[in-house]
Amino acid sequence: MSRLGRRCLGAAAGLVIDRVVGEPPADAHPVAEFGRVMKRVEQALWADRRLAGVAYTAVGVAIGTAGGRMMKSTATAVAIAAAGRELRRVAMCIGKAVADDDLPAARTQLPTLVGRDPAELNGSGIAAAVIESVAENSVDAVIAPAFWGAVAGAPGAAAYRAINTMDAMVGRRNERYRNFGWAAARLDDAANYIPARVFAVLVAALSQARARQIVDAVRLDAPAHPSPNAGVAEAAVAAALDRKLGGPLSYEGVAEPRPFLGTGSRPDAGDIEATVRLADRVEIAAVGLLVMVGTIDWLMDRSGG
């Protein structure tokens, strides 16, 4: 079996491990430790210049790649980098609070998923925020770690998680990070470009009755989104559910215009559960696809021998 086949099977195993075991404890999570290290790197390198951010990002990628090389196992690296089970669990908890009309509890939990201001959101606004987060983070926490694990093994999966973590830490467009975080944000865009579109293809494949609408939403609505990847994932899910996502929101007290995605009605609590089920099926499909590629590679290797 070639290295590609082994990496695909390892990436599939990593997603399965995350599904079964879930996240390590926060105080022992390698990603959390990486974040603490990068906070110290930021303190040492910060300057309001893009070049300083390039240096910060290069250090983070080097640390992530080295960590992956030390792990050696693609399955282990993908399991650590993935977080699909926890994403879906938190989404369902918030969905239950919205369904129970306990909006204060839902608003309290919402910052674990999204950065927008929750105080003024009604039940539909909270549902939209959760659905958008599940769509975007199913790319970040499921498809992309598996993709980079399949492409580049344990170093690829670990480097990807390093990039995504740095983007979460410094990729915001505020006064402190507009220049310093530029490199991390752009590298994260590049790393998620293919995985976001793989996610959209899987959503369309699993929602064949709405496939035409999904293609149209990704083609027509997603380009107006400020993120080249989140817009694709969110538009695909909006069309699959026949719901309208997006629209203006507020970050850190600052209003931010956002395009609407999809043409249906605004979502409610029940749509959160539907989104979680869809995201779960996408992950299962991704595992199946990786196993299929690995198996085909193994069979070709045997027939060639």
Side-chain angles (χ1 to χ4, degrees), residues 24-29 32-33 36:
D27 58 355
H29 202 304
E33 179 58 31
R36 288 188 284 269

Side-chain angles (χ1 to χ4, degrees), residues 187-300:
L187 187 57
D188 184 72
D189 286 344
N192 279 310
Y193 189 86
I194 295 175
R197 284 143 185 88
V198 170
F199 174 81
V201 168
L202 291 175
V203 168
L206 294 168
S207 311
Q208 293 183 20
R210 303 272 316 159
R212 180 70 261 173
Q213 290 86 345
I214 292 168
V215 170
D216 288 344
V218 170
R219 182 172 60 88
L220 300 175
D221 296 347
H225 196 285
S227 167
N229 303 315
V232 169
E234 293 171 19
V237 169
L241 299 176
D242 193 21
R243 292 293 182 264
K244 182 183 287 185
L245 301 178
L249 49 79
S250 174
Y251 279 103
E252 299 176 351
V254 178
E256 182 174 319
R258 289 285 180 91
F260 285 107
L261 306 168
T263 58
S265 60
R266 292 295 280 179
D268 58 26
D271 295 312
I272 294 176
E273 183 177 356
T275 303
V276 168
R277 289 199 305 267
L278 177 60
D280 188 62
R281 291 167 62 212
V282 166
E283 183 176 273
I284 292 170
V287 171
L289 184 61
L290 289 164
V291 170
M292 182 180 71
V293 173
T295 302
I296 290 172
D297 180 78
W298 176 72
L299 290 172
M300 289 179 63

Side-chain angles (χ1 to χ4, degrees), residues 58-298:
V59 170
V61 171
I63 292 173
T65 303
R69 290 189 184 281
M70 290 174 63
M71 276 186 276
K72 296 182 180 178
S73 165
T74 299
T76 301
V78 170
I80 289 171
R85 172 172 164 160
E86 181 67 8
L87 169 66
R88 296 186 294 270
R89 184 193 70 80
V90 173
M92 287 298 292
C93 287
I94 299 173
K96 183 178 185 305
V98 176
D100 293 342
D101 205 27
D102 189 354
L103 297 189
R107 293 187 185 110
T108 298
Q109 296 177 70
L110 192 61
T112 61
L113 282 184
V114 300
R116 70 191 65 180
D117 301 331
E120 303 301 321
L121 294 178
N122 60 14
S124 181
I126 293 170
V130 172
I131 292 167
E132 291 164 22
S133 178
V134 171
E136 178 181 0
N137 287 298
S138 290
V139 176
D140 294 354
V142 177
I143 302 300
F147 174 82
W148 287 109
V151 168
Y160 169 77
R161 179 49 62 201
I163 293 165
N164 191 248
T165 302
M166 289 187 290
D167 177 59
M169 294 176 67
V170 305
R172 300 183 293 277
R173 298 175 183 176
N174 57 23
E175 185 175 350
R176 176 175 176 83
Y177 294 125
R178 185 170 290 107
N179 288 316
F180 184 78
W182 175 84
R186 297 292 77 76
L187 187 57
D188 184 72
D189 286 344
N192 279 310
Y193 189 86
I194 295 175
R197 284 143 185 88
V198 170
F199 174 81
V201 168
L202 291 175
V203 168
L206 294 168
S207 311
Q208 293 183 20
R210 303 272 316 159
R212 180 70 261 173
Q213 290 86 345
I214 292 168
V215 170
D216 288 344
V218 170
R219 182 172 60 88
L220 300 175
D221 296 347
H225 196 285
S227 167
N229 303 315
V232 169
E234 293 171 19
V237 169
L241 299 176
D242 193 21
R243 292 293 182 264
K244 182 183 287 185
L245 301 178
L249 49 79
S250 174
Y251 279 103
E252 299 176 351
V254 178
E256 182 174 319
R258 289 285 180 91
F260 285 107
L261 306 168
T263 58
S265 60
R266 292 295 280 179
D268 58 26
D271 295 312
I272 294 176
E273 183 177 356
T275 303
V276 168
R277 289 199 305 267
L278 177 60
D280 188 62
R281 291 167 62 212
V282 166
E283 183 176 273
I284 292 170
V287 171
L289 184 61
L290 289 164
V291 170
M292 182 180 71
V293 173
T295 302
I296 290 172
D297 180 78
W298 176 72

